[in-house]
Amino acid sequence: MQDTRTDLKLLEGGVLKEAEETIKADHVGNNPETDSDSATALQLFLDRIPINNSIPGIKNSPVVELKTGDTVKDAIEFLYTKNAFGAPIVDVLDPEIPLTRFPDRYIGFLDFATLVLWSLQNASKETGKGNFMSLLEKNPEIGNTKVGELAKSFLWNPFFPVRLEDTLFHVLLLISKHRIQVVPVVEQSNLKVTGFVTQNAVIQLLLQSDGLTWFDSIAEKPLSEFRFENESVSFVYGDESIADALHVLFKSQTGAVAVINRQTRMLIGSVRNGDVYLLMENDKIFRDRKVVTVEEFIRIETSDRDPDPTIERDMGALLSAGVLQLRNKYRPRMDSPVTNKKTDTLKEAMKNVARTKSDFCFQVDDSQHLLGILTLRDIILQFSPPSMNSNIDGGGFFETALELTGCQIKGGTLVCDH
């Protein structure tokens, strides 16, 4: 643990400090007209933060892969056994055909929760006293579906990788253009995924800029001044069934469903993609999902909590770049939703999700009535194009990013096809 803390100390005083000093020199010495342009400064700042030096832990665990020929049943069982949140999908090509670019090897990314929710949504036969895997056996049209056959469905996360030498701005550009949960990091020498940059790791890294003018000019605004993509939030009442909540979770595609007390209209919890594995962990929960209420479900405690959260929790968001575990003991309890008020600043919300290692926070009023949901992507978008001044030239990482995102430079301005 000591080594990791040393790395982070070097990060704060090294890479970020060097980037900050370089930006100051550029703006003061070379282009005084842009001194007041905090957006351009932030963009240049992010362009000077390489992934390999700023996010420790990217390569701290093996990456599992799925193949296009794997069945849905085998893929779910494999990810569950490997305790993996998800995996990139390898396109099984003719071995005689050489791979010249890293996108040639992979065609997408699938996560465990989406596969399980899709299976539940489409299964026509129930299992009676069986478990989740027996449901797939009784519904072979679901369980025997090849992973590759789902390639064109909305279940897939598109595959847009980065290299270790790319920068944080490259990552932000990809997340802002595409709805991706993670950004794969590819080793250029063998064209294989070696790790992932998570959205939570990006938030943690952005927070290292706390106190810098170009960061604070955005982050110190109250949430009420922003227009986020997810203005409406999906919810279920606590007296509805687990099956009802899972159905809404699948349809909403936001990764979380709020749980509301029907009488008081107060927020009492949430059901998240990260909780779906419990259907395989506990056969009784699976069998009784149409009977047991959501309020009963969110009170279930299934794993040991961190006995001393100060040991690793402070570091967890950054280190999670390399580890995407299905079972996460640091995740907030389902009945302890992470919340912020509209009067809170964006920076306060960022610190809240980073501290709790949550993928989102609910916006509530003083009476705990639900107002909206703020996802990590919503936050990241505030620091990404097109919100920032785009008077930049191409080259290096940016040319690669433009190719992946369908953007181009016209007259010194970044233009993206929407």
Side-chain angles (χ1 to χ4, degrees):
M1 198 63 203
Q2 186 175 357
D3 291 340
T4 305
R5 291 186 182 275
T6 301
D7 288 343
L8 287 179
K9 185 176 181 181
L10 290 174
L11 167 61
E12 283 191 62
V15 176
L16 296 182
K17 184 66 175 178
E18 181 180 346
E20 179 183 2
E21 293 301 325
T22 303
I23 296 304
K24 287 181 179 178
D26 285 349
H27 278 257
V28 175
N30 300 327
N31 194 3
E33 294 182 0
T34 61
D35 282 355
S36 61
D37 191 345
S38 61
T40 298
L42 176 60
Q43 181 168 296
L44 294 172
F45 175 75
L46 297 173
D47 190 10
R48 284 169 167 79
I49 303 177
I51 296 171
N52 59 339
N53 290 337
S54 59
I55 305 180
I58 287 180
K59 301 169 69 173
N60 66 355
S61 69
V63 175
V64 299
E65 297 178 340
L66 296 173
K67 296 181 176 62
T68 52
D70 293 338
T71 66
V72 168
K73 178 178 178 294
D74 290 340
I76 290 174
E77 189 169 27
F78 176 74
L79 293 175
Y80 180 78
T81 302
K82 295 295 185 180
N83 193 27
F85 159 82
I89 313 300
V90 178
D91 193 7
V92 182
L93 301 172
D94 187 336
E96 299 298 323
I97 301 177
L99 297 177
T100 58
R101 301 182 307 129
F102 47 72
D104 291 338
R105 177 178 174 83
Y106 302 98
I107 59 175
F109 182 93
L110 268 175
D111 66 272
F112 174 87
T114 299
L115 282 173
V116 171
L117 292 172
W118 176 79
S119 299
L120 290 173
Q121 186 73 17
N122 291 280
S124 58
K125 300 177 182 179
E126 278 297 336
T127 61
K129 296 183 179 181
N131 55 22
F132 177 80
M133 297 308 294
S134 63
L135 176 72
L136 298 181
E137 292 170 359
K138 284 199 172 184
N139 293 268
E141 73 282 3
I142 302 298
N144 293 336
T145 298
K146 303 293 185 183
V147 167
E149 295 175 18
L150 303 176
K152 295 183 180 180
S153 73
F154 70 94
L155 301 178
W156 282 70
N157 278 279
F159 187 84
F160 295 109
V162 295
R163 297 172 296 233
L164 285 172
E165 60 268 26
D166 290 328
T167 69
L168 179 59
F169 183 68
H170 189 172
V171 173
L172 293 176
L173 186 64
L174 291 175
I175 293 176
S176 66
K177 176 64 177 177
H178 302 281
R179 292 184 176 276
I180 51 179
Q181 296 172 294
V182 295
V183 179
V185 179
V186 174
E187 189 73 50
Q188 187 67 30
S189 61
N190 59 17
L191 304 178
K192 290 187 177 182
V193 174
T194 60
F196 300 94
V197 177
T198 65
Q199 292 184 0
N200 212 318
V202 173
I203 297 293
Q204 188 83 352
L205 185 55
L206 286 171
L207 282 171
Q208 300 298 321
S209 302
D210 188 4
L212 303 182
T213 301
W214 42 84
F215 174 80
D216 288 350
S217 65
I218 297 175
E220 290 188 346
K221 294 179 182 179
L223 296 177
S224 58
E225 292 190 15
F226 294 92
R227 292 192 62 182
F228 300 112
E229 283 192 342
N230 298 296
E231 291 293 339
S232 60
V233 55
S234 300
F235 70 91
V236 294
Y237 291 112
D239 56 10
E240 294 185 79
S241 70
I242 298 174
D244 292 329
L246 295 175
H247 173 75
V248 175
L249 183 62
F250 177 76
K251 290 294 186 181
S252 69
Q253 297 294 303
T254 59
V257 172
V259 182
I260 306 295
N261 181 286
R262 190 182 293 272
Q263 284 71 42
T264 65
R265 303 285 171 165
M266 293 175 59
L267 176 68
I268 60 174
S270 66
V271 178
R272 306 151 299 191
N273 279 0
D275 304 314
V276 171
Y277 80 94
L278 294 173
L279 296 177
M280 289 187 63
E281 200 97 318
N282 189 321
D283 292 342
K284 189 175 189 312
I285 291 177
F286 169 74
R287 290 193 298 268
D288 296 342
R289 68 188 185 282
K290 295 184 178 181
V291 179
V292 176
T293 66
V294 183
E295 186 165 2
E296 292 173 312
F297 178 59
I298 64 175
R299 309 293 184 196
I300 295 174
E301 189 64 23
T302 60
S303 61
D304 295 333
R305 312 309 293 177
D306 178 19
D308 186 359
T310 61
I311 295 178
E312 292 187 34
R313 216 174 155 104
D314 295 339
M315 317 279 292
L318 198 55
L319 300 180
S320 67
V323 182
L324 289 169
Q325 295 184 344
L326 192 60
R327 305 168 189 85
N328 184 347
K329 66 179 181 179
Y330 301 115
R331 184 182 293 117
R333 290 175 56 105
M334 287 185 283
D335 60 357
S336 299
V338 179
T339 62
N340 278 97
K341 297 179 181 178
K342 291 276 191 180
T343 53
D344 293 337
T345 65
L346 182 65
K347 184 189 297 185
E348 289 173 324
M350 292 173 69
K351 291 182 176 180
N352 195 13
V353 293
R355 176 182 57 82
T356 58
K357 296 192 65 177
S358 178
D359 296 330
F360 62 92
C361 66
F362 291 115
Q363 297 184 58
V364 297
D365 61 18
D366 292 335
S367 300
Q368 283 295 105
H369 293 154
L370 188 64
L371 300 177
I373 186 173
L374 179 62
T375 66
L376 298 186
R377 185 173 184 272
D378 289 329
I379 295 173
I380 292 171
L381 283 176
Q382 309 313 311
F383 301 92
S384 305
S387 64
M388 296 188 294
N389 188 318
S390 300
N391 292 321
I392 55 178
D393 54 15
F397 87 95
F398 197 68
E399 289 182 348
T400 304
L402 292 179
E403 180 182 354
L404 290 173
T405 61
C407 300
Q408 57 184 313
I409 295 293
K410 289 185 177 179
T413 301
L414 176 68
V415 178
C416 297
D417 296 326
H418 295 286

